[in-house]
Amino acid sequence: MLTFILRRVLAVIPLVVIATAATFFMLQLSDVDPAVLRLGDSATEEQYGEVRAELGTDRPAVVQYVDWLSHAARFDFGESWKRPVPVMTMVHQRMPATLSLTLGAVLVTILIGLPLGIASGVRAGSTADSVITATASIGQAMPAFWTGLLLAAYVAIPTGWFPATGFVGPTASVGDWARSIILPSIALGISGAAALARQTRAAVAGVLRQPYVRTAVSVGYSRRSILGSDVLRNAAIPIVTVLGVQVSLLLGGSLIVEQVFVVPGLGSLAFSAILEKDLPVVLAVVTVAALLVTVVQLALDVLYGALDPRVRVR
Amino acid sequence: MTTTDALVALRGVTVIFRSTGILGSRGELTAVRDADLTIGAGETVGLVGESGSGKTTLGRAILGLVPMERGTIHVAGEDLATVGQPFPARIRRKVQAVFQDPLQALNPRHRVERLVAEPLRIHTDLRGRQLQARVVGLLEQVGLSAGLLRRRTNELSGGQRQRVAIARALAVDPQVLVLDEAVSALDVTTGAQIIKLLERVRPAQGATLFISHDIARVRSVCNRVAVMYRGRIVEFGTADEICGDPRHPYTQLLVASVPDPHPHRVTTVGRASFTVDPTARAAPDGCPFAPRCPHADDRCAVFPDPTVLGTRVVRCHHVADVTTHPTEVPR
Amino acid sequence: MKAGRGRRIVIGVAAFEVAAVIVAAIASPWVGKNTSPSTLSDSLAEPSWNHLLGADQQGRDVLVRIIQGARIALLAATEATLVAVLIGIPLGLLIGFRGGRVDLVAMRLIDSISSIPGVVLAIALIATLGTGLSRSMLAVGLVFSMVMARIARGQVLAERERQYVDGARVVGVRRRGLLFGHVLPNVAPALIVQATLVFSAAIAIEAGLSFIGLGVQPPTASWGIMLADAQDVKEISPFQSVPPGAAILLTVLAINVLGDFLQGLVVGNQRSGEGTVLDGVRVQRSPDAAPAPAGASLVVDTLDVAYRGRNGTMVRAVDGATLHIGRGEVLAIVGESGCGKSSLGLGIAGLLAPPATMRARSLRLVTDDGEHELADLDPRDTSWRRHVAVVFQEPAASLNPVHSVGHHLRRALRQRGVEPTQRAEHAERLLRQVHIADAPDVLRRYPHQLSGGMAQRVMIALALAQSPAVLVADEPTTALDVTVQAEILSLLRQLCTDLHLSVMLITHDLGVVAELADRVAVMYAGQVVETGSVLDVIATPLHPYTAALAASVPRNEAGIGIPEPLEGNVPEPGHWPAGCRFAPRCVHAVEACLAESPVLAGTGGRAFACIRAAEINLVGVPPRRS
């Protein structure tokens, strides 16, 4: 088991290298000058040269990338081009908001999607199933930022129960923190919940058709026992895969939802950095996003192994 | 039968499957090992064995569907190893096949007309009306009406599908026909219909390889029979020799295991009782059957050379001391 | 495949919606030209006759802007989809078709790039390419091309392994012909469905990117821009956010519905009203049950099983089957596939799923604790189930892949009420009973670690764990190798003798019948046409169908030659001919056979349903000569 995890962790490295290299060289194509970014366009050529030398951007692109990589391996993402601030600090400030939002959205996804999917899969073909499936189709078609806008305009503002904008850190006040992320989490999680419900329904309905369910029925187990021990236990395997995909989508979706609720997360950081072509910040966000996605993937793989003896490492 | 006048001649055919990783080969599995086999003109040779024996792979090697590691396959005087891959058209039209499950082996999106016409379009100049007429003629030959031309395979019965597959195989007058479990997936009654049909339409002067796990069926249609076990041909002789008087311990087990439809109440119970020790592994170059064989001893760590007994070849160190009566195989 | 009425309406509405969006997109340059120019006096007007959906902050008509936005949405989605399809599909086809190392390396790259969340990647691309509609959609298309490539590659890899590709190679089809003539047409439907999903996702993403300012720039009307405007006034005019969002929602939803519909055409939909085996099927009973023959474990009196046929009507698969199984007796049910054997077995074991229906005068099970009339029970009543055990053709698929062998057996023993402390030992004893030597090791194994023969032994052990009154064995050895089959048959024979098991053996193989059965019931087109002791029925049949079956079986004997086939096919349920159902295939049939349905009748345990039995001379399977 330990070697499995270790092997998977090692496999993440080339993945992150390729992802960051792709981003790095892509942004190189847009020929941006960090010196102009830092000093504006009114400085002297000499001042520009100094900044370029300081940031190391006067070197060939390949050398820059290798240099960045060797620092990144030690979690040093350098300094922002725009402001003389370490990138790590900027990422650090934005992490709580993004993590809270993503976590909240994952909870919404699971707590709403899973029960609905199970209920509809078990009674596939019934009226209840049709209603749930139709609702899920609608939920899946709702753009998260629109849901957010509606929640802000029709829930937060009229009732005043939740703030329509802003984010409060959990260290400041747990209650305010919770109130500040509930609506963004719902907005972000709804389409994930809908997708999960549909996939869960398909998985449950599929497992119900398996010969081993017939065997379990023939032995005389109760409906409850069969649903738990045979149906859900096996349906969990494809559901875990779907969850992995959803988490990646949520991380991306949080970027736009952050704009709606004015949440200072990684998304808005990435958004402004990309527009300003602040390469070190972009690379750091890409690395963090890729790492988050792969860590989630790894956790799910471990869970997968625990759920399915066929993929369990011997 | 010597190699020279055989229509199909296999010498030392070895097929190894390798799984590839990014940096090269990962695992390998020897599916067929040093197989020698001949099929004469007008002859039907049976290839029997259980799942994993390599019989299907050997058939696929003749069809050029799997790469050979070693050995030679001659078909009508041509060495398949030297003609290159994919086979040139002149080789392709000589060797045709019918597979086990026509629903899988025929493209599900193509209609009967296109399925039967496909080999004709590739190998002949027939087009338009003439092509259509030939297709209808082939369908009639296999007992199907022209009314099925516009159907897809999922709209046909199992027997009809297999007839389409046969019409397709016969379209280019092949000299060699490989029948890979061609009736195994069918009902016994439909299977009997297809066997009867094949007997009528198969190339009379051609060679037929009949791959099957069904000893009784093989005996009823084949002149000679080869028995495979875990990639090795262990016994090869006339159908009556192999099925009526087997000499290799594995063949004896196989034959003794066949249930007879007459309710004689002398059951196979006790006859087929070779036990399998799941921990036993055959020596890498030894007889693959040794772990299950009641006669096995130290000699079996090396795969034996062929012993020729009249028209039959047996590969067993113990062929002299193995009793000829399978029912008396000790438990 | 017919869709239900409700579904057809939904699909119709979706098609209408998409058509409306297309019309709006085409007509948009002419829309709004005749209306009065926007005035600030109309700013944030409520919906009225003048402004059906109200007006925005600058007094522009919202409906007009929605219609103009439709054009942007469709243009954007078309561009992104085209890019995704034109780059992704060829790429996926290429690496899938090449396979091997090319595939491994390419997939590693695609996986790495896909580990960046799509939105982040798209925005990074936009940073390189620049903002604006066509550039941002190019970026979105590139991101989706990775998804398309992955799916196309997966489809091709799966398709390449299918046997028809070998079939085509054997008749001489070349590489190019294989890819374009065979593989591509088969993967195209799935790719088209995927493309519709990309299209609908692109609509939402265009709106999202325009919303955050990376897509279309104001004052161009885009649904995303309109939402961005609405965001600014959400406190004074919340309704502003409703129309553009609804436009996105409805369009995306409609395209998804059409995509689902397409997918349904490809893979088939589940029809409404179809239940599962968990729901069970109630037996409808006629009241006049006959008394059970003495010593019977199971009595089946006039059992019908019906399924929903292709065109939606109910068709009978089993028609008036009457039979019984004595205690300790093995009754074989034989016949070609499609004769109703398996439906009969599933019906008796209570394993049918709605909408199948079952009707019987009586279906009685006699166990140690008395008689159970199954026809009286609620289908969800599981109390009797352990008395009927089943063994199926595919043993590996019949065992739950996530549970060990030991878990399976202990769970069944608990169900039977065996004390927790005894279960482990009892489970081991069961495995030894089915001749598994290394029982402790096998208890720890999972189904995928078992060979076919071993899995079937475990299935039999599981059946024994139930201590059943009747065992239904449906083709228990058909999927096994012949030497393994012999072992399993020998095991079953021994268990029948030792434990006095009552067995319903369903098989098409007369060899298996001869090895195991005491009595035989021959089925044809849903009916039992002959019953009797195994020796009588197989050696001296009285029904021409039995004789024809016997003649079809090849035997391992010298000089027998090719068996005489029975021509024709079993008629499908719902298409059974009048009179004797076998008559159209029967060489002995006369006019009278087509007119009247023969009744199963006879004496002394021997019965047959043929009006000509007395006049014709039938031959069965003779004893072996050697």
Side-chain angles (χ1 to χ4, degrees):
Chain A
M1 196 63 193
L2 210 66
T3 51
F4 167 74
I5 295 177
L6 209 68
R7 272 225 312 271
R8 286 300 313 263
V9 168
L10 289 178
V12 168
I13 293 170
L15 199 141
V16 172
V17 170
I18 294 172
T20 50
T23 316
F24 181 88
F25 291 106
M26 216 163 66
L27 284 176
Q28 284 289 325
L29 290 179
S30 65
D31 81 289
V32 56
D33 190 344
V36 179
L37 202 60
R38 176 75 63 88
L39 302 175
D41 43 15
S42 54
T44 64
E45 197 52 43
E46 209 167 275
Q47 288 169 307
Y48 284 142
E50 260 171 45
V51 171
R52 284 191 200 114
E54 189 196 323
L55 295 173
T57 55
D58 50 352
R59 299 168 298 169
V62 178
V63 178
Q64 286 183 50
Y65 177 68
V66 171
D67 185 52
W68 176 85
L69 202 59
S70 67
H71 282 95
R74 283 166 272 153
F75 290 99
D76 170 13
F77 293 100
E79 202 173 79
S80 160
W81 284 355
K82 175 93 179 172
R83 284 166 291 273
V85 181
V87 174
M88 211 46 199
T89 315
M90 299 169 78
V91 171
H92 202 82
Q93 285 168 350
R94 306 297 190 107
M95 275 306 253
T98 296
L99 282 185
S100 308
L101 189 51
T102 312
L103 218 64
V106 168
L107 274 182
V108 169
T109 297
I110 293 175
L111 291 182
I112 296 179
L114 211 52
L116 285 183
I118 292 169
S120 116
V122 168
R123 325 206 133 271
S126 69
T127 315
D129 169 43
S130 304
V131 171
I132 293 174
T133 309
T135 313
S137 300
I138 294 170
Q140 227 180 337
M142 302 247 300
F145 64 96
W146 183 49
T147 318
L149 208 50
L150 289 183
L151 287 174
Y154 284 101
V155 178
I157 294 167
T159 66
W161 295 339
F162 308 99
T165 55
F167 172 76
V168 182
T171 45
S173 154
V174 174
D176 288 347
W177 168 74
R179 290 204 307 148
S180 71
I181 63 159
I182 281 181
L183 291 186
S185 298
I186 293 175
L188 186 54
I190 281 290
S191 63
L196 185 66
R198 291 186 59 149
Q199 302 278 2
T200 302
R201 174 197 184 274
V204 167
V207 169
L208 274 171
R209 261 147 237 286
Q210 293 298 313
Y212 54 78
V213 173
R214 193 171 59 179
T215 306
V217 171
S218 84
V219 182
Y221 302 131
S222 68
R223 189 183 163 83
R224 202 191 172 81
S225 164
I226 293 171
L227 281 179
S229 187
D230 297 292
V231 178
L232 294 185
R233 191 68 174 65
N234 279 283
I237 296 163
I239 291 171
V240 163
T241 316
V242 179
L243 260 181
V245 177
Q246 287 305 325
V247 169
S248 169
L249 287 176
L250 287 181
L251 212 57
S254 71
L255 193 147
I256 296 179
V257 172
E258 280 174 20
Q259 301 290 312
V260 178
F261 290 95
V262 200
V263 173
L266 276 183
S268 34
L269 180 66
F271 176 57
S272 57
I274 285 170
L275 285 186
E276 291 162 348
K277 303 193 176 165
D278 193 346
L279 188 58
V281 178
V282 175
L283 282 178
V285 173
V286 166
T287 310
V288 168
L291 278 178
L292 275 179
V293 170
T294 43
V295 163
V296 169
Q297 212 66 54
L298 179 62
L300 292 178
D301 276 348
V302 172
L303 185 59
Y304 215 81
L307 285 172
D308 190 349
R310 285 163 294 188
V311 300
R312 204 168 290 168
V313 261
R314 277 169 293 274
Chain B
M1 175 85 36
T2 60
T3 311
T4 42
D5 48 79
L7 202 49
V8 178
L10 280 65
R11 282 214 71 79
V13 172
T14 301
V15 179
I16 298 179
F17 291 124
R18 294 194 166 82
S19 57
T20 49
I22 281 192
L23 301 174
S25 162
R26 271 190 183 162
E28 59 176 53
L29 174 88
T30 307
V32 177
R33 192 158 176 191
D34 295 326
D36 299 339
L37 191 80
T38 56
I39 311 175
E43 195 182 29
T44 301
V45 166
L47 190 55
V48 295
E50 297 176 287
S51 51
S53 65
K55 57 186 193 303
T56 290
T57 305
L58 191 56
R60 288 167 61 81
I62 297 173
L63 294 165
L65 295 175
V66 290
M68 263 196 294
E69 187 77 11
R70 290 192 298 276
T72 58
I73 298 179
H74 283 87
V75 169
E78 298 223 46
D79 184 352
L80 295 190
T82 61
V83 298
Q85 277 281 8
F87 286 174
R90 67 166 200 284
I91 304 283
R92 274 281 171 237
R93 60 182 302 174
K94 282 181 186 169
V95 191
Q96 287 299 309
V98 178
F99 296 101
Q100 173 168 7
D101 183 358
L103 203 55
Q104 295 291 324
L106 300 173
N107 193 325
R109 303 196 74 79
H110 291 180
R111 297 177 195 281
V112 168
E113 183 172 22
R114 178 160 176 197
L115 287 168
V116 180
E118 188 169 40
L120 294 167
R121 284 182 181 280
I122 292 170
H123 297 287
T124 71
D125 296 329
L126 291 177
R127 293 293 180 272
R129 283 256 172 78
Q130 286 175 305
L131 179 67
Q132 167 112 10
R134 178 88 177 97
V135 169
V136 170
L138 280 164
L139 287 182
E140 274 167 10
Q141 208 184 337
V142 297
L144 295 177
S145 82
L148 301 180
L149 278 175
R150 303 298 299 159
R151 300 261 188 102
R152 291 208 174 90
T153 50
N154 63 356
E155 300 162 320
L156 302 176
S157 72
Q160 286 174 326
R161 281 177 209 140
Q162 203 56 301
R163 285 170 199 263
V164 171
I166 292 168
R168 188 169 141 98
L170 295 176
V172 290
D173 290 322
Q175 287 178 284
V176 179
L177 196 56
V178 175
L179 305 173
D180 186 359
E181 301 272 14
V183 299
S184 305
L186 303 172
D187 255 313
V188 65
T189 48
T190 318
Q193 292 169 11
I194 296 295
I195 289 289
K196 195 94 180 169
L197 169 70
L198 282 168
E199 206 48 30
R200 183 161 58 78
V201 299
R202 76 181 176 86
Q205 284 315 303
T208 306
L209 182 66
F210 189 89
I211 301 171
S212 175
H213 66 277
D214 185 341
I215 298 273
R217 183 141 268 158
V218 161
R219 189 176 199 177
S220 72
V221 296
C222 295
N223 306 99
R224 292 189 300 149
V225 175
V227 181
M228 284 190 85
Y229 187 76
R230 303 247 168 122
R232 296 275 200 180
I233 293 182
V234 295
E235 190 168 5
F236 187 23
T238 67
D240 282 341
E241 282 171 344
I242 300 293
C243 306
D245 178 21
R247 296 295 176 85
H248 192 284
Y250 174 63
T251 319
Q252 294 184 339
L253 171 65
L254 199 59
V255 170
S257 299
V258 178
D260 187 74
H262 184 77
H264 39 59
R265 277 286 171 261
V266 184
T267 64
T268 55
V269 177
R271 282 197 273 143
S273 56
F274 291 36
T275 49
V276 189
D277 176 359
T279 57
R281 292 258 179 277
D285 295 312
C287 171
F289 188 60
R292 291 175 73 182
C293 182
H295 306 285
D297 60 19
D298 294 347
R299 282 186 287 168
C300 302
V302 176
F303 192 65
D305 290 329
T307 307
V308 180
L309 300 171
T311 50
R312 115 162 78 194
V313 179
V314 188
R315 304 197 76 161
C316 177
H317 291 292
H318 302 274
V319 67
D321 29 286
V322 168
T323 155
T324 57
H325 297 290
T327 43
E328 289 169 25
V329 165
R331 300 187 69 155
Chain C
M1 188 69 43
K2 273 189 181 164
R5 190 156 165 267
R7 231 187 119 62
R8 281 205 300 273
I9 293 172
V10 170
I11 291 163
V13 170
F16 178 78
E17 207 279 349
V18 171
V21 172
I22 293 172
V23 169
I26 293 170
S28 64
W30 295 280
V31 170
K33 283 207 169 147
N34 301 331
T35 52
S36 51
S38 60
T39 51
L40 284 176
S41 63
D42 281 349
S43 177
L44 298 178
E46 295 286 306
S48 66
W49 278 115
N50 235 348
H51 299 291
L52 281 178
L53 291 176
D56 68 5
Q57 198 170 14
Q58 290 159 47
R60 292 172 298 195
D61 185 84
V62 169
L63 181 61
V64 169
R65 284 182 63 81
I66 293 271
I67 289 173
Q68 288 165 347
R71 186 182 184 84
I72 300 295
L74 286 197
L75 279 179
T78 307
E79 181 187 342
T81 308
L82 276 181
V83 170
V85 165
L86 292 181
I87 294 176
I89 290 182
L91 186 67
L93 291 181
L94 182 79
I95 56 184
F97 206 65
R98 287 298 298 268
R101 219 157 293 170
V102 175
D103 176 50
L104 282 170
V105 173
M107 281 318 289
R108 212 29 99 74
L109 279 172
I110 292 179
D111 278 343
S112 304
I113 294 173
S114 305
S115 75
I116 310 174
V119 177
V120 174
L121 187 60
I123 292 178
L125 274 167
I126 291 169
T128 312
L129 300 167
T131 53
L133 181 68
S134 68
R135 289 186 196 160
S136 59
M137 284 299 115
L138 175 62
V140 171
L142 285 173
V143 172
F144 274 120
S145 70
M146 295 292 115
V147 179
M148 287 304 283
R150 185 198 291 265
I151 287 165
R153 173 247 180 201
Q155 291 279 331
V156 168
L157 274 188
E159 211 61 27
R160 238 168 47 125
E161 294 303 310
R162 291 190 46 190
Q163 218 185 9
Y164 74 81
V165 174
D166 283 341
R169 283 169 73 190
V170 167
V171 300
V173 179
R174 296 290 160 139
R175 256 187 120 76
R176 181 187 295 261
L178 277 184
L179 180 56
F180 293 107
H182 287 264
V183 171
L184 198 54
N186 277 292
V187 302
L191 295 180
I192 291 171
V193 169
Q194 199 56 42
T196 65
L197 292 180
V198 169
F199 194 89
S200 68
I203 288 182
I205 291 176
E206 182 275 318
L209 289 176
S210 297
F211 177 76
I212 57 175
L214 292 182
V216 183
Q217 302 302 319
T220 314
S222 144
W223 296 339
I225 298 258
M226 292 175 72
L227 283 173
D229 293 344
Q231 155 105 330
D232 298 336
V233 295
K234 64 177 180 251
E235 271 148 53
I236 32 178
S237 176
F239 182 73
Q240 287 289 318
S241 57
V242 174
I248 300 170
L249 168 67
L250 290 177
T251 309
V252 169
L253 185 60
I255 293 168
N256 285 350
V257 166
L258 294 183
D260 278 355
F261 172 65
L262 282 181
Q263 176 135 33
L265 290 184
V266 179
V267 298
N269 273 317
Q270 187 176 28
R271 288 180 286 179
S272 62
E274 254 174 37
T276 66
V277 66
L278 267 189
D279 302 317
V281 168
R282 176 184 289 278
V283 187
Q284 300 158 12
R285 187 151 85 109
S286 354
D288 50 342
S297 289
L298 177 77
V299 180
V300 180
D301 190 353
T302 329
L303 177 78
D304 294 346
V305 175
Y307 288 105
R308 188 154 66 184
R310 261 181 228 181
N311 55 6
T313 57
M314 298 300 286
V315 291
R316 248 181 236 182
V318 177
D319 185 13
T322 298
L323 42 88
H324 67 274
I325 301 176
R327 182 165 285 211
E329 185 181 55
V330 179
L331 173 72
I333 313 286
V334 294
E336 293 164 272
S337 47
C339 282
K341 315 187 290 291
S342 289
S343 304
L344 176 65
L346 289 176
I348 286 166
L351 296 177
L352 292 170
T357 60
M358 195 157 57
R359 192 170 59 198
R361 284 172 65 189
S362 175
L363 186 57
R364 256 167 307 154
L365 192 62
V366 184
T367 66
D368 295 337
D369 44 323
E371 259 191 45
H372 304 251
E373 176 53 69
L374 303 187
D376 289 339
L377 296 178
D378 185 276
R380 297 220 176 161
D381 182 347
T382 55
S383 61
W384 61 276
R385 283 193 183 275
R386 76 157 186 87
H387 298 297
V388 181
V390 286
V391 172
F392 293 110
Q393 180 170 345
E394 291 110 11
S398 300
L399 294 167
N400 188 332
V402 303
H403 293 320
S404 68
V405 171
H407 184 283
H408 275 94
L409 293 176
R410 288 192 302 270
R411 187 176 170 206
L413 290 170
R414 185 182 63 194
Q415 181 69 23
R416 205 181 96 192
V418 173
E419 291 299 317
T421 49
Q422 318 228 309
R423 286 177 204 152
E425 192 195 327
H426 200 140
E428 203 173 315
R429 199 160 63 236
L430 284 166
L431 286 191
R432 280 200 300 273
Q433 207 165 10
V434 295
H435 296 200
I436 290 176
D438 44 352
D441 177 49
V442 173
L443 282 174
R444 280 193 299 272
R445 286 199 226 166
Y446 287 89
H448 71 280
Q449 296 166 319
L450 304 173
S451 66
M454 191 73 95
Q456 197 59 295
R457 285 172 197 271
V458 170
M459 270 306 284
I460 295 169
L462 187 63
L464 295 181
Q466 294 172 242
S467 182
V470 173
L471 171 67
V472 176
D474 190 351
E475 303 277 5
T477 59
T478 304
L480 304 176
D481 274 326
V482 63
T483 57
V484 181
Q485 162 170 293
E487 292 167 5
I488 297 290
L489 289 178
S490 135
L491 170 68
L492 283 172
R493 179 79 255 163
Q494 190 208 332
L495 292 174
C496 291
T497 317
D498 294 356
L499 305 176
H500 281 278
L501 281 179
S502 310
V503 181
M504 173 181 269
L505 172 71
I506 297 164
T507 179
H508 69 284
D509 187 338
L510 289 187
V512 171
V513 173
E515 287 287 339
L516 276 185
D518 300 309
R519 283 194 310 122
V520 179
V522 181
M523 284 188 78
Y524 187 78
Q527 294 175 318
V528 176
V529 295
E530 180 166 7
T531 62
S533 79
V534 64
L535 192 63
D536 286 348
V537 173
I538 303 297
T540 56
L542 292 173
H543 194 287
Y545 179 60
T546 316
L549 273 185
S552 298
V553 183
R555 291 180 83 183
N556 184 17
E557 272 208 281
I560 285 208
I562 293 174
E564 208 44 52
L566 166 63
E567 296 298 339
N569 295 307
V570 183
E572 272 183 48
H575 296 90
W576 289 332
C580 172
R581 290 172 189 170
F582 184 60
R585 297 174 77 187
C586 181
V587 288
H588 304 285
V590 294
E591 203 105 320
C593 297
L594 302 169
E596 57 176 304
S597 306
V599 180
L600 184 72
T603 51
R606 187 82 201 271
F608 53 92
C610 176
I611 55 168
R612 300 206 64 213
E615 309 159 39
I616 52 181
N617 232 336
L618 296 173
V619 186
V621 177
R624 276 166 82 105
R625 281 169 299 172
S626 50

